[in-house]
Amino acid sequence: AMRVKRIVADVHAPDPVAAKRFYQDVLGLDVLMDQGWTVTYGSRQQMSVQISFMSEGGSGAPTPDMSIEVDD
């Protein structure tokens, strides 16, 4: 059986490096790969991986592009 090693959400961004302000500076993620045209942020810590398919964001709200759970 095939074993999934990684799932990555790809988000179109005219300036991939600009994501650093949020994903590295705010969330504290590491730069796992940087090729200029693509920058991948993540964590080397083991964590659960989930993917949600949504028809709405709840209570009629628009579907979010991403959900992030934090400890507080």
Side-chain angles (χ1 to χ4, degrees), residues 3-62:
R3 187 175 144 253
V4 174
K5 294 178 66 176
R6 179 173 70 143
I7 295 174
V8 178
D10 296 323
V11 178
H12 177 78
D15 182 8
V17 177
K20 176 187 181 295
R21 287 189 298 274
F22 181 71
Y23 292 97
Q24 190 172 37
D25 298 348
V26 174
L27 294 182
L29 296 178
D30 301 316
V31 174
L32 302 179
M33 178 181 67
D34 183 350
Q35 296 183 341
W37 60 272
T38 179
V39 181
T40 301
Y41 297 90
S43 174
R44 291 178 176 82
Q45 296 178 28
Q46 186 167 349
M47 60 184 70
S48 63
V49 176
Q50 301 174 348
I51 185 167
S52 297
F53 297 88
M54 308 167 83
S55 63
E56 63 167 83
S59 300

Side-chain angles (χ1 to χ4, degrees), residues 53-69:
F53 297 88
M54 308 167 83
S55 63
E56 63 167 83
S59 300
T63 304
D65 293 326
M66 182 180 301
S67 299
I68 300 172
E69 178 183 6

